[in-house]
Amino acid sequence: MASVAYFFETHVAAPRDAAFAWWTNFTPEEHEGDRHLQGTRMNLVRSGDQWTWTDEYVALGLRTRWSFRARTEAPKREEFHAVTALGELRGTIRFETRERRTLVVEEGVFRARGLGRLLLPFLKRRLVRLLETEFCEHWAEFERESSSRRSTI
C-alpha cells in the first residue's frame, strides 16, 4: 500500500497542561475563518477520553470528507485515526515539558487506498506540506491567544 510518513515539532511558551487542554478543546468552528485548510466540522461527539467527528475540506484541489477518532491521555498525548475515500491517516501528538516550555510533536502515516494510491506519488509533497502548514497554523494561533491573555493580566 502506498504511504507517506511525516514528523513535525514545535516549542510553545506554555505549561504542558495548558497546551494539551487548548489542543484537545475540539470545536465545530475549528477550521473556519482565515485558515489554510478551511472546512466544516460536523457530528462532534465526546465520550470520556474518546472523540469522534467529521471534517469536510477542499484540499489539494479535491473535496474530501474525513471521519476522525481521537483518544486523549491527558496531559501527555492524543492518538488519532482519520479515514477518507483516498486513504487513512494515523498518528500521535505528544506533549513534553522542556524547562518552562512545551515540546509538541506530531507524527503520523497516511496510507493511500483506491484512487489515493494513484494520486499519492503526485501529491505526496503537497500533502505533507499541507499537514505541516495546518500544524504550524494551529500552534501560531495558540501563541497569539496565549500572548493576548498574558497582556491582559
Side-chain angles (χ1 to χ4, degrees), residues 67-135:
S67 297
F68 279 88
R69 281 191 338 245
R71 186 174 67 82
T72 60
E73 293 177 33
K76 296 185 270 186
R77 63 189 277 138
E78 170 197 332
E79 296 176 354
F80 61 89
H81 178 230
V83 177
T84 186
L86 299 176
E88 67 177 326
L89 181 65
R90 288 186 184 271
T92 60
I93 301 171
R94 295 188 320 272
F95 299 80
E96 301 174 11
T97 300
R98 295 285 196 262
E99 296 179 12
R100 287 193 233 158
R101 301 175 63 81
T102 300
L103 171 65
V104 182
V105 177
E106 178 176 348
E107 56 188 318
V109 175
F110 176 79
R111 288 186 174 79
R113 65 178 183 205
L115 179 60
R117 288 195 325 229
L118 297 173
L119 296 174
L120 191 61
F122 305 103
L123 299 178
K124 187 182 289 192
R125 285 189 184 144
R126 289 179 64 195
L127 175 62
V128 171
R129 202 170 30 236
L130 177 68
L131 293 169
E132 182 177 27
T133 299
E134 180 71 2
F135 178 83

Side-chain angles (χ1 to χ4, degrees), residues 11 28 30-31 34 41 43 45 50-51 55 84 102 118 138:
H11 287 85
E30 198 149 328
H31 289 281
D34 189 23
R41 176 157 291 163
N43 308 321
V45 176
Q50 307 277 330
W51 292 82
D55 283 348
T84 186
T102 300
L118 297 173
H138 275 291

